[in-house]
Amino acid sequence: MAVERTFVMIKPDGVMRNLAGKVIGRFEQAGFKIVGLRMAKPTKEQVEGFYPSSDDWFGKIGEKTKHRYNQLGIDGKAVFGTNNNITIGKMVKKWLISYISSSPVVLMVLEGNNAAEKTRKMVGNTDPINADTGTIRGDFTLESVDWANSDKRAVMNIVHASGDSAEAKEEIAYWFKPAELFDYENAFDIIINKLGDA
Ligand code: ADP
Ligand code: MG
């Protein structure tokens, strides 16, 4: 058992499509406790600082993108003008900065058992066309990496969730002050305590 906290953001497309309540509801239904929640319109600088800027991260983004192009039999070079993973990752980050800073987002911290791993499962694959039905990205959009890239924009995939527990700690601290996070007992805690003592 590892009760922990993770960070989730409803991206501008999710808010603009009136999906905030549905997305939050899915996490509540799964048993997550909302311990932090607010709306913000991130500045370009805030988004720049939020997503990593390491060659390692750029490279991974480029690699995942090229993997999808290979599946589709599309030449990535024709789209990006390069086959270099890091250069592709840097281009994606630029698009990401304009996307996330374009309109308000909902920021939240969720607490629960294996929170980082479970929220990622609920969010689904980065590329929504490859996200399983039943996941947020799989159920609420037909968006795909190749479609987004052909328009030179970021993949509008409704929601962000921290990749793992370590990333969650950093991302929570990036968006929330300690005083904006709350400790309280919810119905799940009460049921578990009551039945656990029975
Ligand atoms: P995730 O959000 O699933 O953790 P990443 O951390 O790899 O995915 O990427 C961050 C975000 O960058 C994605 O959610 C998506 O909005 C955008 N993105 C990733 N790869 C691409 C791509 N090839 N083209 C456009 N946008 C992308
Ligand atoms: Mg990520």
Side-chain angles (χ1 to χ4, degrees):
M1 218 258 315
V3 174
E4 59 176 16
R5 290 176 170 184
T6 197
F7 171 73
V8 170
M9 170 169 64
I10 304 174
K11 295 179 173 182
D13 52 318
V15 175
M16 291 172 80
R17 288 184 51 206
N18 287 1
L19 293 173
K22 281 208 170 87
V23 169
I24 294 170
R26 284 190 174 213
F27 291 118
E28 285 191 300
Q29 181 180 295
F32 283 109
K33 187 192 291 185
I34 300 168
V35 297
L37 184 69
R38 71 186 170 86
M39 203 167 187
K41 185 163 184 281
T43 62
K44 287 193 181 333
E45 293 70 31
Q46 276 177 314
V47 183
E48 160 101 62
F50 172 57
Y51 285 103
S53 284
S54 61
D55 281 355
D56 185 49
W57 190 79
F58 290 137
K60 274 191 200 135
I61 297 267
E63 202 179 293
K64 279 202 281 184
T65 305
K66 276 186 4 202
H67 178 72
R68 178 65 182 145
Y69 279 106
N70 288 341
Q71 280 179 340
L72 294 169
I74 299 174
D75 177 12
K77 195 167 179 189
V79 181
F80 286 96
T82 175
N83 269 323
N84 183 281
N85 286 343
I86 294 177
T87 313
I88 293 173
K90 285 183 177 166
M91 289 171 77
V92 168
K93 179 149 177 185
K94 277 209 185 101
W95 299 335
L96 204 46
I97 292 170
S98 26
Y99 164 42
I100 304 295
S101 64
S102 63
S103 188
V105 299
V106 174
L107 307 162
M108 71 189 105
V109 179
L110 300 175
E111 186 179 286
N113 188 19
N114 292 304
E117 192 186 342
K118 178 69 177 177
T119 49
R120 286 296 287 199
K121 276 194 185 139
M122 291 176 67
V123 164
N125 195 289
T126 305
D127 188 2
I129 208 79
N130 276 320
D132 290 335
T133 301
T135 65
I136 293 166
R137 289 167 173 169
D139 285 354
F140 292 130
T141 179
L142 294 175
E143 170 74 313
S144 69
V145 164
D146 53 299
W147 186 13
N149 291 172
S150 66
D151 285 345
K152 306 242 174 297
R153 58 175 173 77
V155 176
M156 294 192 272
N157 51 13
I158 303 166
V159 67
H160 163 92
S162 306
D164 55 39
S165 307
E167 203 174 278
K169 281 204 178 77
E170 288 174 12
E171 295 186 350
I172 291 168
Y174 192 82
W175 294 108
F176 286 87
K177 299 187 186 99
E180 293 173 323
L181 301 174
F182 298 89
D183 275 313
Y184 62 96
E185 201 174 41
N186 73 359
F188 281 95
D189 296 323
I190 293 167
I191 292 165
I192 287 166
N193 286 339
K194 187 169 170 61
L195 298 187
D197 287 347

